[in-house]
């Protein structure tokens, strides 16, 4: 079974500073990896995903993530935080042949002016 | 891109009544739809998975007689909370997938259910 670990439920970052959200997964087979963002009282919006190919994935709103198989990680970064980045972020994993998504516990990002 | 419409966005109902939440894929045929429940400040908990024309598969601990899921077509799935109680108050989110998981999942905007 797949599982996802996101450490640090709350992450504070200054406006203009680097945003780094860590995600580690466990999967017995090559995974599909996703990052989603959720704004209050809304559904989840896909930021980016890794399936196969290039391990550095670029997504929307300036975010990117790198799949590191040796570290079983898929950390999310953004070089410069913006106030609009304040939201909840979820890392998720699935695999081919099993269409269930396993979510991490999420990171609440707070951007400090 | 793929769009999933979920409504209502908010609903308040009295204890003992039933509430239906709809989830529609607007521009694609969703082979599988998922229903999640989200408690405040927590992650999403998968309640059930439904494939068009088949009975839903419920996760352990989810009462299938209380949370009725119907997936009658490739574009519509419904979740009915029957005989609602205050403890059913939560944020419910649907998600639809198309073919293989590599295509990803599209989420609805969620429904805030409050049972009074």
């Amino acid at each position: 079974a797949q599982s996802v670990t996101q450490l640090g439920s709350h992450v504070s970052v200054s406006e203009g500073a680097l945003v780094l959200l860590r995600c580690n997964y466990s999967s017995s087979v090559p995974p599909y990896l996703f990052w989603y963002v959720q704004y209050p009282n809304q559904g989840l919006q896909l930021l980016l995903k890794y399936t196969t190919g290039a391990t550095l994935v670029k997504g929307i709103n300036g975010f990117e993530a790198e799949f590191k198989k040796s570290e079983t990680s898929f950390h999310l970064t953004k070089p410069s935080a913006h106030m609009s980045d304040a939201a909840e972020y979820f890392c998720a994993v699935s695999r081919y042949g099993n269409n269930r998504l396993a979510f991490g516990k999420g990171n609440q990002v707070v951007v400090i002016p | 891109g793929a769009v999933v419409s979920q409504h209502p966005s908010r609903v308040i109902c009295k204890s003992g009544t039933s509430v239906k939440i709809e989830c529609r894929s607007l521009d694609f045929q969703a082979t599988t739809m998922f229903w999640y429940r989200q408690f405040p400040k927590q992650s999403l908990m998968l309640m059930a998975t439904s494939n068009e024309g088949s009975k839903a598969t419920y996760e352990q601990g989810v009462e299938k007689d209380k949370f009725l899921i119907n997936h009658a077509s490739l574009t519509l799935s419904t979740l009915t909370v029957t005989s609602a109680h205050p403890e059913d108050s939560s944020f419910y989110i649907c998600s639809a997938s198309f073919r293989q998981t590599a295509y990803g999942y599209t989420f609805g905007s969620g429904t805030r259910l409050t049972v009074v």
Side-chain angles (χ1 to χ4, degrees):
Chain A
Q2 305 98 266
S3 67
V4 176
T5 301
Q6 288 180 254
L7 297 178
S9 59
H10 284 76
V11 176
S12 294
V13 59
S14 297
E15 188 175 15
L18 172 72
V19 179
L20 169 61
L21 302 181
R22 299 179 185 275
C23 173
N24 288 90
Y25 68 91
S26 66
S27 178
S28 58
V29 296
Y32 296 151
L33 295 158
F34 306 84
W35 274 101
Y36 289 92
V37 61
Q38 184 182 33
Y39 298 98
N41 292 310
Q42 294 189 27
L44 274 65
Q45 180 182 11
L46 180 66
L47 281 177
L48 47 79
K49 65 180 179 182
Y50 168 80
T51 53
T52 58
T55 57
L56 181 61
V57 181
K58 295 186 182 299
I60 63 172
N61 302 339
F63 285 94
E64 64 180 36
E66 186 171 11
F67 169 58
K68 292 186 176 180
K69 183 178 179 180
S70 61
E71 299 177 8
T72 61
S73 68
F74 191 56
H75 302 331
L76 180 72
T77 61
K78 181 174 180 177
S80 177
H82 191 273
M83 296 300 293
S84 61
D85 295 327
E88 185 90 23
Y89 293 80
F90 293 98
C91 182
V93 62
S94 70
R95 62 177 174 86
Y96 182 81
N98 181 336
N99 58 5
R100 294 174 50 166
L101 267 178
F103 284 92
K105 292 187 175 182
N107 295 120
Q108 181 68 53
V109 172
V110 175
V111 181
I112 302 168
Chain B
V3 177
V4 171
S5 174
Q6 182 177 346
H7 71 92
S9 58
R10 290 177 179 270
V11 58
I12 300 173
C13 71
K14 293 184 177 181
S15 290
T17 62
S18 296
V19 174
K20 180 183 285 187
I21 302 169
E22 288 192 352
C23 181
R24 292 180 183 272
S25 56
L26 296 185
D27 50 4
F28 67 103
Q29 293 183 327
T31 51
T32 306
M33 287 193 175
F34 306 86
W35 287 95
Y36 296 87
R37 181 173 181 176
Q38 187 178 30
F39 293 99
K41 307 298 183 184
Q42 294 189 29
S43 189
L44 282 73
M45 180 191 78
L46 180 64
M47 299 174 66
T49 303
S50 71
N51 296 294
E52 184 265 339
S54 302
K55 288 185 177 180
T57 301
Y58 289 81
E59 295 299 300
Q60 190 173 7
V62 177
E63 299 176 60
K64 61 181 180 181
D65 294 331
K66 181 168 190 59
F67 299 99
L68 300 179
I69 292 172
N70 183 281
H71 192 166
S73 75
L74 283 171
T75 60
L76 174 64
S77 178
T78 60
L79 167 67
T80 301
V81 182
T82 63
S83 187
H85 288 112
E87 57 265 31
D88 298 325
S89 299
S90 192
F91 193 60
Y92 294 88
I93 307 176
C94 70
S95 171
S97 73
F98 171 59
R99 293 184 184 171
Q100 303 164 16
T101 56
Y103 289 87
Y105 306 77
T106 303
F107 286 81
S109 55
T111 297
R112 174 71 61 191
L113 170 63
T114 303
V115 184
V116 298

